[in-house]
Amino acid sequence: MGHEGITVLLTGVVLASLSLGCAQTKTQLLPSHLSVRTVAEWVAEDHRTAAQLYTQEATRLEGKVANLERRLEKFTKKPYLDTKGFKRQSVRRLSGTYRKEISELGERIAWHQEKVDWLNAKSPSDEIEKRGEDKKSS
């Protein structure tokens, strides 16, 4: 196996490890007390906490995307560092993966914020009536 073959193999290994790292970022972001209850049992504060955690994760990923953009700019300015474009391609792919994840987090944040707004708009008497109905049905 020649030098190019080894480079391609190593690039594949690096990409595979990076994609595994991306998959691992989707692990449990929520505290254990929120994941134990069903979403229907959450109160406004729980949704607010979830939205904040997702916002922090999105901010972290945006920082990674910015770092990748700087790396891509470096390869563009100095093409001799990546003559075949493998590094640029992997940076673009990883950046796209992070952007997709940021978009999904944005949807989750919006959903939780809608729930916060909805729960805050409900009057306390609505909540008391609902709890009374739950006790009657059990």
Side-chain angles (χ1 to χ4, degrees), residues 11-116:
T11 303
V13 169
V14 168
L15 287 175
S17 66
L18 289 175
S19 64
L20 285 175
C22 289
Q24 290 173 351
T25 61
K26 293 184 179 183
T27 58
Q28 187 69 18
L29 290 176
L30 301 176
S32 61
H33 76 279
L34 292 180
S35 60
V36 172
R37 295 184 288 171
T38 64
V39 176
E41 297 172 332
W42 285 20
V43 294
E45 189 60 35
D46 295 337
H47 285 289
R48 193 173 294 112
T49 300
Q52 288 171 349
L53 290 171
Y54 288 137
T55 301
Q56 289 172 356
E57 180 67 9
T59 303
R60 186 183 69 80
L61 290 175
E62 286 170 354
K64 285 186 170 192
V65 168
N67 186 32
L68 290 171
E69 292 297 326
R70 284 191 295 275
R71 285 182 59 197
L72 190 59
E73 186 178 321
K74 176 182 170 185
F75 290 132
T76 304
K77 287 181 180 178
K78 299 179 180 182
Y80 57 86
L81 293 175
D82 184 28
T83 56
K84 297 201 177 191
F86 294 136
K87 293 177 186 176
R88 281 178 281 209
Q89 184 180 8
S90 66
V91 167
R92 283 187 193 112
R93 186 175 294 125
L94 184 58
S95 180
T97 302
Y98 286 152
R99 283 192 176 112
K100 181 180 176 190
E101 219 172 308
I102 290 168
S103 174
E104 291 171 0
L105 286 170
E107 291 173 8
R108 290 179 185 175
I109 292 166
W111 184 83
H112 283 289
Q113 192 57 49
E114 285 177 18
K115 292 296 180 184
V116 168

